Amino acid sequence: MNRSILDKEVQDYIKANRQLDPGAMAFKKSPFAEVSSSELATQIDGWQRAYKKLPTWAYSPNIYYPDKINLEQCSSEHTALVKQSLIRKGCKIVDVTGGFSVDSCYLAQEAQIVVHCELNEKLSQIVKHNAQQLGVANLVPLHTDGVKFVQDQEDNSIDYIYIDPSRRVNHAKVFLLEDCEPNIVALQDMFFQKSRYILCKLSPLMDINSALQKLKHVKLLYVISLEGDCKELLFLQDRTFEGETKITAIRLSADQLQNISFTQQEEKTTLVKTSTPLKYLYDPDVALTKAGAFKSVAKAFSLFKLHTHTHLYTSDTLESDFLGRIFQIENVYTLGEFKKLNTLGKANVATKNFPIKVDEVRKKFKIKDGGSDFLYFVTDYADNHIVIHCSKIL
């Protein structure tokens, strides 16, 4: 950590130039003897990323930004707030895998103390400095191995262990839970000796059913999307819990949080009726599809499905709180009718439970991408291939 970056004249320079291209900045000569052009570029790039992802950091003075990869891997403020809502006030937390400390800082707002363990000494120093700037006095950054730190604690001395296992091992992506580092599957018994709760953040690429089989005592599972992009899976394990996991799909946007909760047994036993396309069409958010809430969402909003395996929904009355995109249906065509009657040379095309992909559809029907019209090529309840022309409402 180069503390010269925190000098007033350097900070003023970064603030005056923070809208510039960091790549171009890296090739300019630095006006400061103690701070290189690449270090200035890192700070500018960090601010630009924080502006979108971490506005509290971006608009706090004298924040020190780490390498790009640490900012790419950290949580956003929106998803950190969800984690904050899961813990008891006044608890003791150990963040085993540290990082840039976004989650730790938000957990600290509810906790009595959060111990932030980080193997990277420079990053640990950055976290300590930023916590002071942000006024997070009960965050304790330690340059240490988080697993060993937990292992050295007395039994039942921690309330929550928070862990975000790395999905990159030796520079290669891994997709099995037990291949991540640290190996939460192998460690969970030891963690439960030290703590009642384990809060585990996993990649949205992880298979949910596989994770539920390998993780013990999972009381709650949260599938979180932000602005239409599935960001993370959160597993809350409670060593006293013996029951079926409650799954909650959460859709976050800049000014809204929507959610649906269900169990896999409820999803399995829910009966949903199919229908021809009615007045409105509903395309579920990625959090719903990842969570597997295909029938639960239909039940929650009293919707019909277009087909058992076509995960689109329809109704005659507008359900404006639906978790996903909502359209008004303009026309419905068979493929033959669409080929004869279509006058749209430009539209947004999607396929659902349809035998050919979007690119092939565009080529076959000579449709360019874009515009305000939407075309859904789908299979309906009678196994017919149809085209739904609609316009977006929400």
Side-chain angles (χ1 to χ4, degrees), residues 2 4 10 30-37 39:
N2 183 358
S4 295
V10 179
S30 171
F32 308 103
E34 303 299 323
V35 181
S36 69
S37 56
E39 287 175 319

Side-chain angles (χ1 to χ4, degrees), residues 5 100 110 149-150 182 191 258 264 284:
I5 287 173
F100 188 48
E110 290 294 312
F149 177 85
V150 170
F191 282 175
Q258 299 169 285
Q264 289 186 331

Side-chain angles (χ1 to χ4, degrees), residues 161-178:
I161 291 172
Y162 175 64
I163 186 165
D164 178 8
S166 174
R167 273 79 70 183
R168 282 193 176 274
V169 179
N170 297 323
H171 306 290
K173 280 189 176 181
V174 296
F175 298 97
L176 295 178
L177 186 55
E178 57 269 32

Side-chain angles (χ1 to χ4, degrees), residues 137-165:
N138 58 334
L139 179 66
V140 181
L142 297 180
H143 169 226
T144 190
D145 182 324
V147 172
K148 188 175 186 310
F149 177 85
V150 170
Q151 204 163 19
D152 290 342
Q153 305 308 299
E154 293 183 5
D155 289 357
N156 301 311
S157 61
I158 305 167
D159 294 308
Y160 294 84
I161 291 172
Y162 175 64
I163 186 165
D164 178 8

Side-chain angles (χ1 to χ4, degrees), residues 18 45-61 63-81 83 99-106 126 130 134 201 226 232:
R18 63 190 184 189
D45 178 76
W47 183 87
Q48 291 175 3
R49 293 174 186 274
Y51 176 77
K52 298 176 181 178
K53 193 175 184 178
L54 308 167
T56 300
W57 273 252
Y59 288 106
S60 296
I63 294 296
Y64 194 113
Y65 295 102
D67 294 335
K68 178 171 68 174
I69 190 169
N70 301 125
L71 281 165
E72 289 175 341
Q73 293 176 343
C74 75
S75 297
S76 68
E77 290 192 49
H78 284 86
T79 58
L81 280 167
K83 301 178 187 77
F100 188 48
S101 81
V102 176
D103 289 325
S104 286
C105 284
Y106 275 89
I126 290 171
N130 288 342
L134 295 166
K201 170 187 168 182
L226 177 60
E232 57 193 50

Side-chain angles (χ1 to χ4, degrees), residues 55 185 252 273 284 370 391:
V185 178
L252 297 172
K273 293 182 179 179
S391 53

Side-chain angles (χ1 to χ4, degrees), residues 33-34 49-50 53 72 80 87 131 142 151 165 170 196 223 230 251 287 291 305-306 312-313 333 342 365 371 386:
E34 303 299 323
R49 293 174 186 274
K53 193 175 184 178
E72 289 175 341
I87 63 168
L142 297 180
Q151 204 163 19
N170 297 323
R196 174 174 170 177
V223 181
C230 196
R251 183 196 189 203
K305 288 196 79 175
L306 296 187
L312 290 170
Y313 307 85
Y333 304 100
N342 174 43
F365 294 101
I386 62 172

